[in-house]
Structure formats: C-alpha cells, structure tokens
C-alpha cells in the first residue's frame, strides 16, 4: 500500500458521495417543490447544497498528492480521445465548476427557478457520467480484480448510498438547528419534508444494501472462476490478508444502512423524537462512510496485474 | 508506413546472465528499482512416477528477457491522460518526461511492466529502444551486450518471417492484449501462458 493510494481512496469515495448528494438533493427538491412550494423546498436543501462545495474542493486537491509531477496536472485533460482517466479528470472539473455555479445561483436566487433547475439537472447528469467514467478507468484488461461489472455497480452503490445518507444527516442537522433558533418557517411543512425525505432515504439504503450483498459474492465467485494467478492472488488479498477488514466492512454496512436505517424509519413517527432520528442518521452515515472507505481500500489493495 | 521495430529473443540460447539488463541500466543510468530490461526466471517441476515404478524428477527452468515490446496496440499510450506516452512512426513507444504528470496509470495498464516510475524525478520512464544508438547505426545496448547471442532487434516483419510469430510463453501475458512486437524462440521446456506448472521465482527482480 503506497501513500498515494490514500489520495485515490479519498478522491473516489468523496467525489462519489458528492455526486450522490447532489443527485439525491435534486430529487428531494423536485418532489418537495411539486408538493409544497419552492420556498419551502429550499429551506432544508439550500444549506445541504452548500455543504457539498468544500467537500468536492478537498477531494480535488487530494488528487494532486497522487501525482509525481503535479505541475503538469492541467495536461491530464489532453487525451480525451482514448484515455478514460483523461475523461474522468475533465468531468470532475466540469462537475466541480458547474456545481459551484449552480450552488451560488441557488443560494442568491439568481435568475428564474426554471433556469436554475435546468442547470441543476445538467450538473447532476455530468456527475453521474463522472461516476461512470471513474469506473471505466479501472476496467483494465490487465487487472482481473478490477475488470468486472462489479466495479461499475459498486461505484454507483457508493454514490447513491453515501449521497442519500449524507443528505439525510444534513437535513436532520439543518432542521434541528433552525428549530433550535426558532427560525423554522411553517415547521409542520418542514417536518413533513424531513420525514418524507428520510423515509425515502431509508428505502433507498435498504435496496442498495441488498444489491451490494448480492454483488459481492457474485464478484468473488466470478473472480475465483477465472482462476488465473492474478485473480487468485487478488482474492487472497481480500479474503486472507484483508479478511478482518473485509468482515468489518460488511458488518458496518449492514448495521449502518440496514439496522440504523430501520430504527430511523421508526423514529419518524413523531416530531418529538427528531433528536433520536438525528443520532441514528449520523451513525448510519458514519458507519457506511467507514465501510465504504474500507471497501475502497481493499479495492486498491487487491490490484494484481497479469503478466510481469 | 515506416517499418516497425521489434525484438527477437532466443530462449534456447539465453543463459540468464542478465548482461542485457545491466547494459541497459548502465547506458541509461537507471536508478535503483528501475530496470527497463529484466530477465524473468521461470521454473517448476516435481517428482513423477514412471510406468516401471521408478521415480524421477522433471525440474525445469528457463529465462525470458523482456523490455518494452513497442506494441502494435500499446495500452500505455491508449490510457495515458496527457499524451506523454506516445508512439513514433518506427513503432518506438516513448514517454515525454516533460509532459508526464506521474499518475502511474500506464504502469497499472502495461502487462509487461515496461513503464517504470522514477521516484527521484516523479515521472514515468521506459525503454526507448536506444533510439540514439540506432541513429548512429549501432545496436541497442541490451542486444550489443548479450554474450550468448540470444537477443536481436530489427524490422519486426523480417524477424517474424525468419523466426515465426510466437510472442507468448509463461510467464508473459496473452499477446492479444497489446500485440507486442516480439518474437520468441521457445526453450524446449517452455510452458504456455497461464500454465500452473511453474512459477516466476525472481519477482523482486522483474
Ligand atoms: S505516468 Fe505519465 S506517461 Fe504514464 S499515464 Fe501518467 S501521464 Fe501518462
């Protein structure tokens, strides 16, 4: 494990979380606007949106640590014709800039809601393309452990799972903060938005958890079936050397996205229990975040190339 | 189209002395850990029982000297985000060290371990076929150094016409990934790629 792999672990995980948050936030905002009005929909989501910014900038900066010669970094977008890495870097830059523009417009309510929504939609689409391109980077024919559809599926699970739980945490936090300062306009509506959003987030988490628990064994079985020396070495790195971390990852994922989520769902029955809801939302997010980082760590650890 | 250059390696002549590797390292002044040309030692064997009940061993070993194969389909060039990795008209794959950002992606992709990272300067380096020697009408340092006459270079079409098309034996990867411009005369004990009957025993050297 080289130090520079940490920068890749942080960059890919955090960037995926940011894209997921952006997409989920967009969905929540869309439905909330239809059901209530734009102003009510903005109350909780605007602050959550602003929180994505610093996270993305941090992720972008971390990637520089991975480069042997960071001064040349701008050149990384010059092989769009054939290099997925080039495409990834380009999309990451566009997503960051587009997201920043959108967040600023939304914050200051610049231009009309329709134009803002259109920009938001385009940025979300770019974000999802970014996650797709991130996965393509690892589909190298020379690395059996990565060259699998599981890489693509897992990257999207990370995106939506971390995105959902991050938005959930941000919503409860904002709700409690505004209520504490008696700053909540029409708190019934806001609690309604909060609880509906969290219920959906719980459902999304449970589905993604289920998919992940199907994909992991399929992936390992497929790798074992290939039977090449590199494939077997990768399995051993995940299950033997990395066995304890792998088990911990699965447990944290199950407890965070499964058990905590279900309790969170139940805590939503009354507004008086929002404090409990908060604890559960933060814990679920923290558990899944650690699980995803461990998973990504094992992903890079399991890299064994064929040949010599 | 200019003729493409390639290497011919005769495994039946190679004694594993590694003069090619050392000549390469010396010529390009490579730091510790960077070896553009490497010699893989592949061995295996076990006890076998003959029909008459006697027991015998079938231990084998052979060498494969490998540098960059200046492939027809160079995956390093394909994946490089900066176009630092590029291919010349004559087929030589080169890295422009003034453009490379040192992301090491090419190193992940190449199944021959040809692009190698130089920690001191933070960029990728690799075999350049001693293009400067070629310009002067000389052989690449590795070819010139081989005392067993196991290593040659030349127009790949001519090499193939003379020595055949084989470019994959264990422990090399399948040739269809990058289409290496390499021709191998196999050792009589050569095993097919992916064979479970032997293993690379000097992984720290290659
Ligand atoms: S390390 Fe340099 S040559 Fe290799 S892929 Fe990255 S930029 Fe290209």
């Amino acid at each position: 494990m080289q130090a520079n792999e940490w920068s890749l672990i942080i960059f890919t995980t955090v960037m995926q979380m940011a894209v997921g948050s952006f997409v989920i936030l967009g969905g929540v905002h869309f439905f909330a606007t239809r059901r209530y009005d734009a102003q009510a929909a903005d109350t909780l989501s605007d602050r959550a949106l602003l929180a994505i910014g610093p996270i993305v900038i941090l992720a972008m900066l971390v990637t520089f640590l991975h480069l042997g010669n960071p001064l040349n970094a701008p050149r990384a977008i010059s092989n769009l014709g054939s290099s997925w890495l080039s495409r990834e870097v380009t999309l990451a830059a566009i997503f960051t800039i587009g997201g920043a523009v959108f967040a600023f417009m939304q914050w200051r309510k610049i231009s009309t809601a329709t134009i803002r929504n259109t920009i938001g939609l385009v940025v979300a689409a770019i974000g999802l393309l970014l996650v797709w391109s991130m996965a393509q980077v690892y589909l190298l024919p020379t690395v059996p452990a990565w060259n699998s559809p599981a890489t693509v599926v897992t990257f999207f699970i990370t995106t939506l799972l971390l995105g959902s739980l991050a938005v959930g945490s941000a919503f409860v936090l904002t709700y409690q903060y505004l209520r504490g300062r008696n700053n909540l306009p029409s708190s019934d509506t806001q609690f309604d938005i909060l609880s509906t959003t969290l219920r959906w987030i719980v459902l999304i988490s449970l589905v993604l958890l289920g998919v992940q628990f199907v994909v992991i064994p399929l992936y390992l079985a497929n790798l074992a079936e290939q039977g090449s020396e590199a494939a077997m070495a990768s399995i051993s790195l995940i299950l033997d050397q990395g066995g304890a971390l792998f088990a911990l990852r699965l447990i944290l994922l199950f407890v965070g996205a499964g058990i905590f989520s279900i309790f969170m769902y139940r805590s939503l029955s009354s507004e008086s229990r929002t404090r409990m809801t908060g604890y559960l939302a933060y814990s679920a997010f923290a558990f899944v975040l650690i699980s995803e980082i461990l998973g990504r760590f094992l992903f890079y650890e399991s890299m064994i190339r064929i040949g010599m | 189209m200019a003729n493409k250059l390639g290497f011919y390696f005769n495994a039946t002549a190679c004694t594993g002395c590694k003069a090619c590797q050392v000549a390469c390292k010396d010529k390009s002044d490579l730091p510790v850990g960077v070896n553009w040309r490497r010699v893989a030692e592949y061995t295996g064997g076990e006890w076998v029982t003959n029909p008459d009940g006697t027991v015998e061993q079938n231990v084998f070993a052979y060498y494969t000297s490998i540098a960059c194969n200046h492939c027809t389909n160079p995956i390093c060039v394909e994946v490089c985000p900066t176009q630092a990795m590029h291919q010349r008209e004559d087929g030589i794959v080169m890295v422009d060290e003034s453009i490379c950002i040192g992301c090491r992606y090419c190193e992940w992709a190449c199944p021959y371990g040809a692009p190698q990272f130089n920690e001191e300067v933070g960029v990728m380096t690799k075999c350049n076929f001693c293009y400067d020697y070629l310009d002067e009408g000389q052989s690449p340092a590795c070819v010139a150094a081989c005392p067993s006459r196991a290593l040659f270079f030349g127009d790949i079409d001519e090499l193939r016409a003379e020595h055949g098309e084989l470019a994959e034996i264990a422990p090399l990867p399948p040739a269809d990934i990058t289409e290496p411009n390499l021709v191998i005369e196999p050792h009589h004990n050569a095993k097919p790629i992916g064979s479970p009957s032997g293993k690379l025993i000097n992984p720290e050297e290659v």
Side-chain angles (χ1 to χ4, degrees):
Chain A
M1 182 78 193
Q2 295 149 339
N4 65 26
E5 280 175 20
W6 278 107
S7 63
L8 296 178
I9 294 170
I10 293 172
F11 171 74
T12 57
T13 314
V14 168
M15 213 55 181
Q16 285 162 16
M17 176 167 89
V19 170
S21 306
F22 196 90
V23 169
I24 297 284
L25 215 44
V28 171
H29 192 265
F30 175 76
F31 287 113
T33 311
R34 286 220 316 199
R35 196 148 146 194
Y36 309 97
D37 59 88
Q39 216 193 335
D42 287 350
T43 307
L44 292 178
S45 56
D46 277 5
R47 280 162 205 268
L49 179 65
L50 291 177
I52 302 177
I55 298 177
V56 169
I57 307 241
L58 181 92
M60 292 293 274
L61 289 178
V62 161
T63 54
F64 282 85
L65 296 177
H66 154 74
L67 300 181
N69 189 7
L71 288 180
N72 275 343
R75 291 188 185 269
I77 60 173
S78 58
N79 197 11
L80 294 172
S82 78
S83 168
W84 277 105
L85 183 53
S86 223
R87 294 170 192 160
E88 177 195 4
V89 174
T90 309
L91 287 166
I94 300 176
F95 174 75
T96 307
I97 296 167
V101 169
F102 173 75
F104 187 78
M105 291 176 74
Q106 183 70 14
W107 178 38
R108 292 299 174 93
K109 302 289 171 260
I110 295 169
S111 188
T112 66
T114 322
I115 291 181
R116 288 203 303 271
N117 288 344
T118 313
I119 296 177
L121 211 60
V122 172
V123 175
I126 291 169
L128 292 173
L129 269 179
L130 165 62
V131 176
W132 171 260
S133 69
M134 277 174 149
Q136 298 301 314
V137 164
Y138 296 92
L139 301 187
L140 293 169
T142 48
V143 183
W146 288 351
N147 193 18
S148 153
T151 302
V152 184
V153 178
T154 306
F155 276 21
F156 275 103
I157 293 178
T158 304
T159 302
L160 294 176
L161 192 56
L162 277 181
S164 304
L165 293 173
V167 168
S169 294
F171 266 40
V172 201
L173 190 67
T174 312
Y175 180 85
Q176 285 179 322
Y177 170 78
L178 292 178
R179 197 184 51 178
R181 297 183 47 189
N182 283 323
N183 223 348
L184 259 193
S186 61
S187 63
D188 280 353
T189 312
Q190 290 306 319
F191 181 71
D192 213 34
I193 294 179
L194 175 73
S195 56
T196 315
T197 304
L198 289 183
R199 282 199 183 98
W200 276 105
I201 284 174
V202 170
L203 288 178
I204 293 172
S205 304
L206 290 174
V207 170
L208 293 172
L209 177 70
V211 177
Q212 184 67 282
F213 272 82
V214 172
V215 168
I216 290 174
L218 282 180
Y219 161 74
L220 290 172
N222 182 271
L223 204 53
E225 205 172 301
Q226 293 177 28
S228 69
E229 212 179 313
M232 297 321 274
S234 292
I235 293 182
S236 160
L237 282 168
I238 298 170
L239 295 182
D240 299 338
Q241 282 95 317
L245 290 181
F246 183 63
L248 184 61
R249 152 162 170 72
L250 296 184
I251 293 168
L252 288 173
L253 190 65
F254 185 77
V255 173
I259 297 178
F260 286 168
S261 287
I262 290 171
F263 280 110
M264 181 157 82
Y265 196 101
R266 298 179 60 180
S267 77
L268 290 167
S269 53
S270 115
E271 121 89 68
S272 62
R273 291 168 69 190
T274 34
R275 178 180 286 224
M276 192 59 188
T277 310
Y279 290 144
L280 287 164
Y282 310 147
S283 316
F285 173 61
F287 272 46
V288 172
L289 181 62
I290 297 171
S291 168
E292 289 298 331
I293 288 173
L294 287 177
R296 202 50 57 83
F297 172 82
L298 290 169
F299 176 79
Y300 287 105
E301 275 293 279
S302 67
M303 190 276 188
I304 299 283
R305 204 191 49 217
I306 63 165
M308 57 178 273
Chain B
M1 200 175 79
N3 289 339
K4 304 289 189 230
L5 291 167
F7 287 111
Y8 164 64
F9 173 67
N10 182 350
T12 65
C14 175
T15 61
C17 74
K18 295 170 189 156
C20 52
Q21 179 176 334
V22 174
C24 170
K25 189 154 181 128
D26 181 48
K27 191 257 173 184
S28 294
D29 221 352
L30 304 178
V32 172
V34 176
N35 300 301
W36 292 347
R37 184 168 280 284
R38 292 140 294 135
V39 179
E41 302 176 2
Y42 187 81
T43 84
E46 60 197 340
W47 292 105
V48 282
T49 311
N50 294 325
D52 64 3
T54 55
V55 176
E56 199 174 26
Q57 51 82 6
N58 63 359
V59 172
F60 68 90
Y62 61 87
Y63 303 98
T64 311
S65 172
I66 283 289
C68 173
N69 298 306
H70 304 278
C71 306
T72 300
N73 190 7
I75 193 169
C76 56
V77 174
E78 180 195 327
V79 304
C80 172
T82 61
Q83 300 193 344
M85 199 62 88
H86 61 283
Q87 189 163 33
R88 309 199 319 182
E89 272 285 285
D90 55 8
I92 299 182
V93 175
M94 303 249 279
V95 52
D96 183 338
E97 294 174 21
S98 70
I99 292 180
C100 173
I101 54 175
C103 68
R104 307 180 73 159
Y105 192 36
C106 49
E107 188 184 4
W108 280 352
C110 172
Y112 299 94
Q116 296 185 17
F117 191 65
N118 183 334
E119 302 276 352
E120 287 159 29
V121 281
V123 293
M124 209 38 84
T125 64
K126 70 180 287 301
C127 160
N128 54 25
F129 225 114
C130 292
Y131 67 94
D132 48 345
Y133 279 8
L134 295 182
D135 287 348
E136 295 167 9
Q138 294 185 52
S139 300
C142 54
V143 171
C146 177
S148 313
R149 304 204 175 196
L151 197 58
F152 296 86
F153 79 104
D155 179 318
I156 190 66
D157 294 332
E158 286 171 20
L159 292 175
R160 287 197 179 120
E162 199 173 336
H163 305 287
E165 309 250 318
L166 185 69
E168 50 175 41
I169 49 160
L172 297 182
D176 60 359
I177 300 176
T178 63
E179 300 174 51
N181 286 317
L182 170 73
V183 174
I184 295 173
E185 178 70 38
H187 190 265
H188 63 271
N189 278 324
K191 301 289 179 245
I193 50 164
S195 165
S197 51
K199 66 174 192 182
L200 180 74
I201 51 144
N202 62 339
E204 70 290 346
E205 288 179 21
V206 303

